[in-house]
Amino acid sequence: MSALPEGEGWSYWPAPAKLNLFLHITGRRADGYHALQTVFRLLDWGDTVGLRVRADRQIVRSGHGAADVPEHDDLLIRASKCLQKASNCSNGVDIVIEKRIPMGGGLGGGSSDAATVLVALNQLWGLDFDAERLATLGLRLGADVPVFVRGRNAWAEGIGEQLVPLDLPPAWYLLASPGVHAATAGLFQEPDLTRDAAPATISDFVNGAVLDNAFEPVLRRREPAVEAVFAALACIGKPRLTGSGSVCFVEFADRGSAEAALAALPPGLDVWLARGAERSPLLDAVEVFTVGASPSG
């Protein structure tokens, strides 16, 4: 049952998860950040953010888990304040969230939540910022926020913010969580992490030449639970790791194949299915809003 509040003034906006269909680290930049190459695949599954405009400039998050996150770490609040400051908007907002995306799983939950707040409040506050401006604001909050703001599957370079839209074939994914919170900063410090991969091209990806993730061998060595999930999924296909998190996935061409694979797995695994999106469901919600009907959960 949904924990989202009902009542006048609330609107509900999707915050989809993402997968990294491959991830390479190609070097280190002058600013100290690592240079990446990856492909972002958006999913038709994720969190739901509830928003209600206030007239007093206050930004208030409530609901389950809100008190457990310090305000300076809360991307929902930080995104709201970032947009409020950039626009000098006199409105505020009440925020609730229904979390489905596991933290530390590499599915981009926090970044997607932040992007949804930026995109939705742009509509609710009547700001008329374009996607470029919102993506620039989003980059201040996290490297993955721009891809969720733009809402398209993409080839990404830089720290993940240099995006080239990419048409991907239909696919379904079986996802498995080992219940491990993978801390990105710690993984980047691992001595055996490959940081000098040869640059790949979009053609390399399309041809299937690059499907690996630089963090996979590190996490499989560090976390027995991740290794156990890889072993379990190997009987239904080729498991891969997403992002710098712990969630593993197997890709299938259609829903039926994914469901058959799910049924073949032993009990006790935390697994679920999600459809690969052609574009973000957040863009669909914006379209619904602009024709006069608030999106609902």
Side-chain angles (χ1 to χ4, degrees):
M1 178 179 290
S2 173
L4 295 172
E6 298 179 1
E8 186 176 353
W10 286 99
S11 60
Y12 303 101
W13 305 79
K18 59 84 176 167
L19 295 174
N20 296 86
L21 299 187
F22 88 98
L23 194 157
H24 286 177
I25 303 170
T26 57
R28 194 153 194 158
R29 308 184 339 165
D31 60 9
Y33 287 99
H34 289 85
L36 308 176
Q37 288 187 313
T38 190
V39 166
F40 288 115
R41 177 82 200 230
L42 301 176
L43 299 179
D44 193 18
W45 169 86
D47 298 337
T48 302
V49 177
L51 301 170
R52 181 173 62 183
V53 174
R54 301 171 61 108
D56 59 3
R57 290 187 59 88
Q58 296 297 306
I59 294 170
V60 180
R61 182 181 167 193
S62 59
H64 179 70
D68 299 332
V69 182
E71 184 170 315
H72 63 273
D73 289 334
D74 191 327
L75 282 169
L76 295 162
I77 292 178
R78 290 177 58 201
S80 303
K81 289 186 173 181
C82 181
L83 186 61
Q84 188 183 59
K85 181 177 180 181
S87 64
N88 197 28
C89 181
S90 60
N91 287 324
V93 67
D94 291 316
I95 309 171
V96 295
I97 185 166
E98 188 170 50
K99 285 294 295 179
R100 301 180 188 89
I101 303 173
M103 295 180 64
L107 296 169
S111 295
S112 185
D113 297 341
T116 290
V117 167
L118 291 174
V119 170
L121 287 183
N122 184 50
Q123 299 294 324
L124 294 169
W125 287 348
L127 302 180
D128 202 29
F129 282 19
D130 62 17
E132 181 68 31
R133 192 168 181 186
L134 291 175
T136 299
L137 291 175
L139 186 58
R140 302 178 189 174
L141 303 168
D144 288 353
V145 178
V147 73
F148 290 111
V149 167
R150 296 186 181 279
R152 304 285 181 177
N153 298 317
W155 172 275
E157 298 192 17
I159 58 173
E161 87 290 6
Q162 299 173 19
L163 303 170
V164 177
L166 198 61
D167 290 328
L168 297 173
W172 278 77
Y173 298 92
L174 185 149
L175 295 91
S177 174
V180 173
H181 186 296
T184 300
L187 291 174
F188 271 112
Q189 303 306 314
E190 283 285 328
D192 56 346
L193 178 67
T194 300
R195 298 175 175 83
D196 57 354
T201 65
I202 293 177
S203 294
D204 291 332
F205 169 75
V206 171
N207 294 332
V210 288
L211 293 175
D212 56 315
N213 184 320
F215 294 103
E216 178 190 323
V218 175
L219 266 170
R220 292 180 70 175
R221 177 181 55 78
R222 279 182 39 160
E223 302 289 350
V226 173
E227 177 62 28
V229 167
F230 263 84
L233 297 185
C235 68
I236 60 166
K238 169 63 176 173
R240 289 183 264 172
L241 192 77
T242 180
S244 58
S246 61
V247 168
C248 313
F249 68 95
V250 180
E251 181 177 294
F252 296 92
D254 55 74
R255 180 173 183 168
S257 300
E259 289 176 338
L262 180 64
L265 288 172
L269 294 172
D270 183 7
V271 292
W272 66 100
L273 301 181
R275 185 180 68 86
E278 289 73 37
R279 69 175 202 159
S280 172
L282 178 59
L283 299 185
D284 297 330
V286 169
E287 287 189 357
V288 169
F289 181 86
T290 56
V291 298
S294 295
S296 62

PDB file of all heavy atoms in Angstrom, residues 30-59:
ATOM      1  N   ALA A  30      42.265  16.789 -14.422  1.00  0.00           N
ATOM      2  CA  ALA A  30      43.078  17.763 -13.692  1.00  0.00           C
ATOM      3  C   ALA A  30      42.424  18.197 -12.395  1.00  0.00           C
ATOM      4  O   ALA A  30      43.109  18.573 -11.436  1.00  0.00           O
ATOM      5  CB  ALA A  30      43.345  18.978 -14.584  1.00  0.00           C
ATOM      6  N   ASP A  31      41.063  18.122 -12.338  1.00  0.00           N
ATOM      7  CA  ASP A  31      40.362  18.532 -11.119  1.00  0.00           C
ATOM      8  C   ASP A  31      40.289  17.416 -10.078  1.00  0.00           C
ATOM      9  O   ASP A  31      39.684  17.581  -9.025  1.00  0.00           O
ATOM     10  CB  ASP A  31      38.954  19.035 -11.441  1.00  0.00           C
ATOM     11  CG  ASP A  31      38.081  17.979 -12.131  1.00  0.00           C
ATOM     12  OD1 ASP A  31      38.506  16.797 -12.210  1.00  0.00           O
ATOM     13  OD2 ASP A  31      36.990  18.329 -12.599  1.00  0.00           O
ATOM     14  N   GLY A  32      40.922  16.276 -10.361  1.00  0.00           N
ATOM     15  CA  GLY A  32      40.955  15.178  -9.407  1.00  0.00           C
ATOM     16  C   GLY A  32      39.877  14.139  -9.601  1.00  0.00           C
ATOM     17  O   GLY A  32      39.971  13.036  -9.054  1.00  0.00           O
ATOM     18  N   TYR A  33      38.825  14.463 -10.359  1.00  0.00           N
ATOM     19  CA  TYR A  33      37.767  13.495 -10.617  1.00  0.00           C
ATOM     20  C   TYR A  33      38.219  12.473 -11.657  1.00  0.00           C
ATOM     21  O   TYR A  33      39.070  12.757 -12.506  1.00  0.00           O
ATOM     22  CB  TYR A  33      36.503  14.189 -11.121  1.00  0.00           C
ATOM     23  CG  TYR A  33      35.765  14.965 -10.058  1.00  0.00           C
ATOM     24  CD1 TYR A  33      35.918  16.342  -9.946  1.00  0.00           C
ATOM     25  CD2 TYR A  33      34.915  14.319  -9.175  1.00  0.00           C
ATOM     26  CE1 TYR A  33      35.241  17.070  -8.969  1.00  0.00           C
ATOM     27  CE2 TYR A  33      34.232  15.032  -8.203  1.00  0.00           C
ATOM     28  CZ  TYR A  33      34.399  16.394  -8.100  1.00  0.00           C
ATOM     29  OH  TYR A  33      33.734  17.101  -7.136  1.00  0.00           O
ATOM     30  N   HIS A  34      37.642  11.283 -11.582  1.00  0.00           N
ATOM     31  CA  HIS A  34      37.949  10.254 -12.572  1.00  0.00           C
ATOM     32  C   HIS A  34      37.122  10.475 -13.831  1.00  0.00           C
ATOM     33  O   HIS A  34      35.946  10.854 -13.763  1.00  0.00           O
ATOM     34  CB  HIS A  34      37.659   8.866 -12.000  1.00  0.00           C
ATOM     35  CG  HIS A  34      38.635   8.440 -10.941  1.00  0.00           C
ATOM     36  ND1 HIS A  34      38.486   8.787  -9.617  1.00  0.00           N
ATOM     37  CD2 HIS A  34      39.769   7.711 -11.019  1.00  0.00           C
ATOM     38  CE1 HIS A  34      39.491   8.279  -8.920  1.00  0.00           C
ATOM     39  NE2 HIS A  34      40.284   7.625  -9.745  1.00  0.00           N
ATOM     40  N   ALA A  35      37.731  10.223 -14.978  1.00  0.00           N
ATOM     41  CA  ALA A  35      37.044  10.299 -16.264  1.00  0.00           C
ATOM     42  C   ALA A  35      36.395   8.947 -16.550  1.00  0.00           C
ATOM     43  O   ALA A  35      37.049   7.898 -16.440  1.00  0.00           O
ATOM     44  CB  ALA A  35      38.030  10.670 -17.370  1.00  0.00           C
ATOM     45  N   LEU A  36      35.112   8.989 -16.912  1.00  0.00           N
ATOM     46  CA  LEU A  36      34.337   7.767 -17.102  1.00  0.00           C
ATOM     47  C   LEU A  36      33.808   7.662 -18.533  1.00  0.00           C
ATOM     48  O   LEU A  36      33.678   8.648 -19.234  1.00  0.00           O
ATOM     49  CB  LEU A  36      33.138   7.751 -16.145  1.00  0.00           C
ATOM     50  CG  LEU A  36      33.388   7.997 -14.665  1.00  0.00           C
ATOM     51  CD1 LEU A  36      32.060   8.024 -13.919  1.00  0.00           C
ATOM     52  CD2 LEU A  36      34.296   6.932 -14.082  1.00  0.00           C
ATOM     53  N   GLN A  37      33.477   6.463 -18.902  1.00  0.00           N
ATOM     54  CA  GLN A  37      32.634   6.198 -20.065  1.00  0.00           C
ATOM     55  C   GLN A  37      31.587   5.191 -19.632  1.00  0.00           C
ATOM     56  O   GLN A  37      31.898   4.205 -18.943  1.00  0.00           O
ATOM     57  CB  GLN A  37      33.440   5.633 -21.235  1.00  0.00           C
ATOM     58  CG  GLN A  37      34.350   6.643 -21.913  1.00  0.00           C
ATOM     59  CD  GLN A  37      34.983   6.057 -23.167  1.00  0.00           C
ATOM     60  OE1 GLN A  37      35.497   4.934 -23.159  1.00  0.00           O
ATOM     61  NE2 GLN A  37      34.947   6.814 -24.256  1.00  0.00           N
ATOM     62  N   THR A  38      30.342   5.438 -20.017  1.00  0.00           N
ATOM     63  CA  THR A  38      29.274   4.528 -19.616  1.00  0.00           C
ATOM     64  C   THR A  38      28.081   4.723 -20.537  1.00  0.00           C
ATOM     65  O   THR A  38      28.017   5.681 -21.321  1.00  0.00           O
ATOM     66  CB  THR A  38      28.855   4.766 -18.147  1.00  0.00           C
ATOM     67  OG1 THR A  38      27.982   3.712 -17.717  1.00  0.00           O
ATOM     68  CG2 THR A  38      28.153   6.104 -17.955  1.00  0.00           C
ATOM     69  N   VAL A  39      27.134   3.807 -20.460  1.00  0.00           N
ATOM     70  CA  VAL A  39      25.828   3.973 -21.095  1.00  0.00           C
ATOM     71  C   VAL A  39      24.772   3.896 -20.005  1.00  0.00           C
ATOM     72  O   VAL A  39      24.725   2.938 -19.228  1.00  0.00           O
ATOM     73  CB  VAL A  39      25.573   2.898 -22.173  1.00  0.00           C
ATOM     74  CG1 VAL A  39      24.096   2.879 -22.584  1.00  0.00           C
ATOM     75  CG2 VAL A  39      26.442   3.164 -23.399  1.00  0.00           C
ATOM     76  N   PHE A  40      23.940   4.941 -19.944  1.00  0.00           N
ATOM     77  CA  PHE A  40      22.829   4.982 -19.004  1.00  0.00           C
ATOM     78  C   PHE A  40      21.579   4.423 -19.670  1.00  0.00           C
ATOM     79  O   PHE A  40      21.185   4.886 -20.743  1.00  0.00           O
ATOM     80  CB  PHE A  40      22.528   6.416 -18.573  1.00  0.00           C
ATOM     81  CG  PHE A  40      23.551   7.026 -17.653  1.00  0.00           C
ATOM     82  CD1 PHE A  40      24.306   8.108 -18.076  1.00  0.00           C
ATOM     83  CD2 PHE A  40      23.728   6.542 -16.368  1.00  0.00           C
ATOM     84  CE1 PHE A  40      25.238   8.701 -17.228  1.00  0.00           C
ATOM     85  CE2 PHE A  40      24.655   7.123 -15.518  1.00  0.00           C
ATOM     86  CZ  PHE A  40      25.411   8.202 -15.941  1.00  0.00           C
ATOM     87  N   ARG A  41      20.966   3.448 -19.006  1.00  0.00           N
ATOM     88  CA  ARG A  41      19.658   2.931 -19.432  1.00  0.00           C
ATOM     89  C   ARG A  41      18.645   3.266 -18.353  1.00  0.00           C
ATOM     90  O   ARG A  41      18.782   2.829 -17.194  1.00  0.00           O
ATOM     91  CB  ARG A  41      19.712   1.410 -19.633  1.00  0.00           C
ATOM     92  CG  ARG A  41      18.340   0.801 -20.015  1.00  0.00           C
ATOM     93  CD  ARG A  41      18.109   0.962 -21.476  1.00  0.00           C
ATOM     94  NE  ARG A  41      16.745   0.857 -21.919  1.00  0.00           N
ATOM     95  CZ  ARG A  41      16.350   0.064 -22.934  1.00  0.00           C
ATOM     96  NH1 ARG A  41      17.214  -0.749 -23.505  1.00  0.00           N
ATOM     97  NH2 ARG A  41      15.118   0.099 -23.369  1.00  0.00           N
ATOM     98  N   LEU A  42      17.634   4.041 -18.696  1.00  0.00           N
ATOM     99  CA  LEU A  42      16.581   4.370 -17.744  1.00  0.00           C
ATOM    100  C   LEU A  42      15.579   3.229 -17.665  1.00  0.00           C
ATOM    101  O   LEU A  42      15.350   2.511 -18.647  1.00  0.00           O
ATOM    102  CB  LEU A  42      15.881   5.661 -18.164  1.00  0.00           C
ATOM    103  CG  LEU A  42      16.789   6.891 -18.266  1.00  0.00           C
ATOM    104  CD1 LEU A  42      15.999   8.088 -18.796  1.00  0.00           C
ATOM    105  CD2 LEU A  42      17.419   7.226 -16.924  1.00  0.00           C
ATOM    106  N   LEU A  43      14.996   3.064 -16.486  1.00  0.00           N
ATOM    107  CA  LEU A  43      14.034   2.002 -16.259  1.00  0.00           C
ATOM    108  C   LEU A  43      12.641   2.578 -16.016  1.00  0.00           C
ATOM    109  O   LEU A  43      12.493   3.697 -15.515  1.00  0.00           O
ATOM    110  CB  LEU A  43      14.446   1.154 -15.049  1.00  0.00           C
ATOM    111  CG  LEU A  43      15.791   0.445 -15.135  1.00  0.00           C
ATOM    112  CD1 LEU A  43      16.062  -0.339 -13.854  1.00  0.00           C
ATOM    113  CD2 LEU A  43      15.850  -0.483 -16.347  1.00  0.00           C
ATOM    114  N   ASP A  44      11.653   1.790 -16.349  1.00  0.00           N
ATOM    115  CA  ASP A  44      10.263   2.181 -16.095  1.00  0.00           C
ATOM    116  C   ASP A  44       9.854   1.691 -14.702  1.00  0.00           C
ATOM    117  O   ASP A  44       8.842   1.008 -14.528  1.00  0.00           O
ATOM    118  CB  ASP A  44       9.358   1.590 -17.180  1.00  0.00           C
ATOM    119  CG  ASP A  44       7.967   2.203 -17.161  1.00  0.00           C
ATOM    120  OD1 ASP A  44       7.814   3.291 -16.573  1.00  0.00           O
ATOM    121  OD2 ASP A  44       7.031   1.595 -17.722  1.00  0.00           O
ATOM    122  N   TRP A  45      10.684   2.030 -13.742  1.00  0.00           N
ATOM    123  CA  TRP A  45      10.494   1.612 -12.350  1.00  0.00           C
ATOM    124  C   TRP A  45      11.374   2.497 -11.474  1.00  0.00           C
ATOM    125  O   TRP A  45      12.472   2.894 -11.899  1.00  0.00           O
ATOM    126  CB  TRP A  45      10.917   0.144 -12.182  1.00  0.00           C
ATOM    127  CG  TRP A  45      11.007  -0.305 -10.758  1.00  0.00           C
ATOM    128  CD1 TRP A  45       9.996  -0.793  -9.981  1.00  0.00           C
ATOM    129  CD2 TRP A  45      12.180  -0.307  -9.925  1.00  0.00           C
ATOM    130  NE1 TRP A  45      10.470  -1.080  -8.709  1.00  0.00           N
ATOM    131  CE2 TRP A  45      11.804  -0.789  -8.653  1.00  0.00           C
ATOM    132  CE3 TRP A  45      13.505   0.064 -10.131  1.00  0.00           C
ATOM    133  CZ2 TRP A  45      12.717  -0.922  -7.604  1.00  0.00           C
ATOM    134  CZ3 TRP A  45      14.406  -0.053  -9.086  1.00  0.00           C
ATOM    135  CH2 TRP A  45      14.006  -0.551  -7.848  1.00  0.00           C
ATOM    136  N   GLY A  46      10.883   2.823 -10.277  1.00  0.00           N
ATOM    137  CA  GLY A  46      11.707   3.628  -9.389  1.00  0.00           C
ATOM    138  C   GLY A  46      10.911   4.187  -8.230  1.00  0.00           C
ATOM    139  O   GLY A  46       9.906   3.607  -7.807  1.00  0.00           O
ATOM    140  N   ASP A  47      11.368   5.331  -7.723  1.00  0.00           N
ATOM    141  CA  ASP A  47      10.717   5.996  -6.605  1.00  0.00           C
ATOM    142  C   ASP A  47       9.569   6.874  -7.099  1.00  0.00           C
ATOM    143  O   ASP A  47       9.436   7.139  -8.299  1.00  0.00           O
ATOM    144  CB  ASP A  47      11.717   6.885  -5.853  1.00  0.00           C
ATOM    145  CG  ASP A  47      12.869   6.106  -5.241  1.00  0.00           C
ATOM    146  OD1 ASP A  47      12.719   4.890  -4.999  1.00  0.00           O
ATOM    147  OD2 ASP A  47      13.927   6.727  -4.993  1.00  0.00           O
ATOM    148  N   THR A  48       8.752   7.338  -6.146  1.00  0.00           N
ATOM    149  CA  THR A  48       7.722   8.330  -6.429  1.00  0.00           C
ATOM    150  C   THR A  48       7.892   9.489  -5.460  1.00  0.00           C
ATOM    151  O   THR A  48       7.985   9.281  -4.247  1.00  0.00           O
ATOM    152  CB  THR A  48       6.306   7.736  -6.288  1.00  0.00           C
ATOM    153  OG1 THR A  48       6.157   6.629  -7.171  1.00  0.00           O
ATOM    154  CG2 THR A  48       5.247   8.786  -6.607  1.00  0.00           C
ATOM    155  N   VAL A  49       7.954  10.698  -5.999  1.00  0.00           N
ATOM    156  CA  VAL A  49       8.108  11.908  -5.188  1.00  0.00           C
ATOM    157  C   VAL A  49       6.778  12.652  -5.167  1.00  0.00           C
ATOM    158  O   VAL A  49       6.195  12.921  -6.223  1.00  0.00           O
ATOM    159  CB  VAL A  49       9.213  12.821  -5.756  1.00  0.00           C
ATOM    160  CG1 VAL A  49       9.314  14.115  -4.943  1.00  0.00           C
ATOM    161  CG2 VAL A  49      10.550  12.088  -5.771  1.00  0.00           C
ATOM    162  N   GLY A  50       6.310  12.981  -3.965  1.00  0.00           N
ATOM    163  CA  GLY A  50       5.100  13.781  -3.805  1.00  0.00           C
ATOM    164  C   GLY A  50       5.456  15.204  -3.428  1.00  0.00           C
ATOM    165  O   GLY A  50       6.293  15.433  -2.555  1.00  0.00           O
ATOM    166  N   LEU A  51       4.820  16.174  -4.101  1.00  0.00           N
ATOM    167  CA  LEU A  51       5.111  17.590  -3.885  1.00  0.00           C
ATOM    168  C   LEU A  51       3.815  18.376  -3.699  1.00  0.00           C
ATOM    169  O   LEU A  51       2.812  18.111  -4.376  1.00  0.00           O
ATOM    170  CB  LEU A  51       5.885  18.169  -5.071  1.00  0.00           C
ATOM    171  CG  LEU A  51       7.229  17.506  -5.409  1.00  0.00           C
ATOM    172  CD1 LEU A  51       7.754  18.021  -6.739  1.00  0.00           C
ATOM    173  CD2 LEU A  51       8.247  17.742  -4.297  1.00  0.00           C
ATOM    174  N   ARG A  52       3.871  19.350  -2.784  1.00  0.00           N
ATOM    175  CA  ARG A  52       2.741  20.272  -2.583  1.00  0.00           C
ATOM    176  C   ARG A  52       3.306  21.674  -2.369  1.00  0.00           C
ATOM    177  O   ARG A  52       4.094  21.898  -1.441  1.00  0.00           O
ATOM    178  CB  ARG A  52       1.891  19.845  -1.377  1.00  0.00           C
ATOM    179  CG  ARG A  52       0.684  20.760  -1.126  1.00  0.00           C
ATOM    180  CD  ARG A  52      -0.210  20.204  -0.044  1.00  0.00           C
ATOM    181  NE  ARG A  52       0.480  20.099   1.242  1.00  0.00           N
ATOM    182  CZ  ARG A  52      -0.067  19.581   2.340  1.00  0.00           C
ATOM    183  NH1 ARG A  52      -1.298  19.091   2.304  1.00  0.00           N
ATOM    184  NH2 ARG A  52       0.629  19.537   3.467  1.00  0.00           N
ATOM    185  N   VAL A  53       2.927  22.588  -3.228  1.00  0.00           N
ATOM    186  CA  VAL A  53       3.474  23.944  -3.188  1.00  0.00           C
ATOM    187  C   VAL A  53       3.004  24.671  -1.932  1.00  0.00           C
ATOM    188  O   VAL A  53       1.840  24.563  -1.520  1.00  0.00           O
ATOM    189  CB  VAL A  53       3.055  24.727  -4.449  1.00  0.00           C
ATOM    190  CG1 VAL A  53       3.500  26.185  -4.360  1.00  0.00           C
ATOM    191  CG2 VAL A  53       3.648  24.066  -5.694  1.00  0.00           C
ATOM    192  N   ARG A  54       3.948  25.388  -1.315  1.00  0.00           N
ATOM    193  CA  ARG A  54       3.667  26.259  -0.179  1.00  0.00           C
ATOM    194  C   ARG A  54       3.888  27.710  -0.607  1.00  0.00           C
ATOM    195  O   ARG A  54       4.674  27.972  -1.520  1.00  0.00           O
ATOM    196  CB  ARG A  54       4.611  25.938   0.988  1.00  0.00           C
ATOM    197  CG  ARG A  54       4.549  24.520   1.499  1.00  0.00           C
ATOM    198  CD  ARG A  54       5.666  24.256   2.504  1.00  0.00           C
ATOM    199  NE  ARG A  54       5.571  25.115   3.681  1.00  0.00           N
ATOM    200  CZ  ARG A  54       5.199  24.698   4.886  1.00  0.00           C
ATOM    201  NH1 ARG A  54       4.900  23.425   5.079  1.00  0.00           N
ATOM    202  NH2 ARG A  54       5.150  25.539   5.901  1.00  0.00           N
ATOM    203  N   ALA A  55       3.258  28.631   0.110  1.00  0.00           N
ATOM    204  CA  ALA A  55       3.389  30.054  -0.228  1.00  0.00           C
ATOM    205  C   ALA A  55       4.371  30.784   0.674  1.00  0.00           C
ATOM    206  O   ALA A  55       4.543  31.998   0.537  1.00  0.00           O
ATOM    207  CB  ALA A  55       2.020  30.729  -0.147  1.00  0.00           C
ATOM    208  N   ASP A  56       5.036  30.051   1.593  1.00  0.00           N
ATOM    209  CA  ASP A  56       5.859  30.720   2.611  1.00  0.00           C
ATOM    210  C   ASP A  56       7.359  30.488   2.445  1.00  0.00           C
ATOM    211  O   ASP A  56       8.135  30.735   3.366  1.00  0.00           O
ATOM    212  CB  ASP A  56       5.434  30.267   4.004  1.00  0.00           C
ATOM    213  CG  ASP A  56       5.568  28.755   4.200  1.00  0.00           C
ATOM    214  OD1 ASP A  56       6.043  28.072   3.254  1.00  0.00           O
ATOM    215  OD2 ASP A  56       5.208  28.257   5.280  1.00  0.00           O
ATOM    216  N   ARG A  57       7.790  30.001   1.304  1.00  0.00           N
ATOM    217  CA  ARG A  57       9.201  29.733   0.988  1.00  0.00           C
ATOM    218  C   ARG A  57       9.798  28.579   1.796  1.00  0.00           C
ATOM    219  O   ARG A  57      10.950  28.201   1.582  1.00  0.00           O
ATOM    220  CB  ARG A  57      10.091  30.981   1.199  1.00  0.00           C
ATOM    221  CG  ARG A  57       9.865  32.087   0.194  1.00  0.00           C
ATOM    222  CD  ARG A  57      10.896  33.220   0.363  1.00  0.00           C
ATOM    223  NE  ARG A  57      12.267  32.735   0.197  1.00  0.00           N
ATOM    224  CZ  ARG A  57      12.893  32.655  -0.966  1.00  0.00           C
ATOM    225  NH1 ARG A  57      12.258  32.990  -2.079  1.00  0.00           N
ATOM    226  NH2 ARG A  57      14.149  32.229  -1.033  1.00  0.00           N
ATOM    227  N   GLN A  58       9.056  27.987   2.695  1.00  0.00           N
ATOM    228  CA  GLN A  58       9.592  26.886   3.493  1.00  0.00           C
ATOM    229  C   GLN A  58       9.671  25.614   2.655  1.00  0.00           C
ATOM    230  O   GLN A  58       8.786  25.330   1.834  1.00  0.00           O
ATOM    231  CB  GLN A  58       8.719  26.633   4.727  1.00  0.00           C
ATOM    232  CG  GLN A  58       8.693  27.788   5.712  1.00  0.00           C
ATOM    233  CD  GLN A  58      10.070  28.050   6.289  1.00  0.00           C
ATOM    234  OE1 GLN A  58      10.717  27.152   6.822  1.00  0.00           O
ATOM    235  NE2 GLN A  58      10.532  29.296   6.166  1.00  0.00           N
ATOM    236  N   ILE A  59      10.749  24.858   2.865  1.00  0.00           N
ATOM    237  CA  ILE A  59      10.925  23.567   2.202  1.00  0.00           C
ATOM    238  C   ILE A  59      10.931  22.508   3.293  1.00  0.00           C
ATOM    239  O   ILE A  59      11.823  22.484   4.151  1.00  0.00           O
ATOM    240  CB  ILE A  59      12.221  23.546   1.379  1.00  0.00           C
ATOM    241  CG1 ILE A  59      12.101  24.548   0.223  1.00  0.00           C
ATOM    242  CG2 ILE A  59      12.520  22.140   0.863  1.00  0.00           C
ATOM    243  CD1 ILE A  59      13.387  24.809  -0.514  1.00  0.00           C
TER     244      ILE A  59
END
